[in-house]
Amino acid sequence: MNNLVLSFTPKFTKLLTLVLRQENPQLEDTAVETIAKFCHDLQDLDLSKSFKVGDRSLYALAHGYRNLTKLNISGCTSFSDEGVEYLTKFCRKLKILNLCGCVKAATDCALQAIGDLGVMSLAYGCPDLRCLDLCGCVRIIAVQALCDTFPALHTCSGRHSLVMSGCLNLTSVHCACAVQSHRTLNNILHTAH
């Protein structure tokens, strides 16, 4: 896989979408660095289950893909929160970020880079974010601020754009829909009395 990517990437410089999801991880940082060097128009990149790629790949992506809108790095266990923080400083057009199972990368420090003390950096850094998958990210505790800052992120049934299953340190998080429903119900109850 790694050699294949190294050989075809210079020939396909206008790629918009690239899916490199792997069942038998072979992709290495050198391949991602080559992709970043040649494919500057890339908007959608799937590196899920790429266990052999690390922060070097995130640094390369940060400099090579300023127009990246969708990134799937689910199951990539070698990324650190510093790498995710660095990436979000440069890839400010991200709308969909899948960090599912990135146990070292998806921490409150990473969310601080994506957010502020969990969120404001995210609002500033990736203002168009519409979907965030944090499932299995057990080191995260500051997510409610994400919902408060990004009303387009939903936790309610049928509209899951903020996925947090397996985030064992969270107690409760509610999206704008749930908060509005609660306010409406309280207003009805208070009016009835």
Side-chain angles (χ1 to χ4, degrees), residues 86-100:
Y86 191 85
L87 175 79
T88 59
K89 286 180 183 176
F90 293 93
C91 296
R92 299 174 44 110
K93 294 184 179 180
L94 274 176
K95 293 182 180 183
I96 299 172
L97 178 59
N98 188 337
L99 296 171
C100 179

Side-chain angles (χ1 to χ4, degrees), residues 71-163:
L71 179 62
N72 183 351
I73 54 173
S74 64
C76 296
T77 55
S78 297
F79 294 130
S80 70
D81 54 355
E82 292 92 1
V84 172
E85 179 180 355
Y86 191 85
L87 175 79
T88 59
K89 286 180 183 176
F90 293 93
C91 296
R92 299 174 44 110
K93 294 184 179 180
L94 274 176
K95 293 182 180 183
I96 299 172
L97 178 59
N98 188 337
L99 296 171
C100 179
C102 296
V103 292
K104 291 190 325 190
T107 64
D108 279 338
C109 290
L111 282 185
Q112 188 170 351
I114 305 172
D116 182 324
L117 298 177
V119 180
M120 292 324 268
S121 309
L122 180 56
Y124 176 74
C126 302
D128 294 329
L129 192 69
R130 298 289 178 265
C131 183
L132 182 62
D133 190 333
L134 299 171
C135 73
C137 300
V138 296
R139 297 170 66 188
I140 293 176
I141 57 172
V143 176
Q144 185 60 54
L146 282 171
C147 291
D148 296 341
T149 305
F150 294 96
L153 291 177
H154 295 277
T155 59
C156 54
S157 64
R159 300 181 75 183
H160 292 286
S161 58
L162 176 60
V163 182

Side-chain angles (χ1 to χ4, degrees), residues 6-7 14 35 38 46 65 71 87 101 105 123 125 127 152 155 162 173 175:
L6 289 171
S7 66
K14 297 297 181 188
I35 295 166
F38 290 102
D46 185 343
Y65 301 120
L71 179 62
L87 175 79
T155 59
L162 176 60
V173 177
C175 64

Side-chain angles (χ1 to χ4, degrees), residues 12-26:
F12 295 96
T13 59
K14 297 297 181 188
L15 287 175
L16 297 178
T17 300
L18 183 57
V19 177
L20 295 171
R21 181 179 307 122
Q22 302 169 71
E23 293 305 317
N24 298 314
Q26 300 171 14

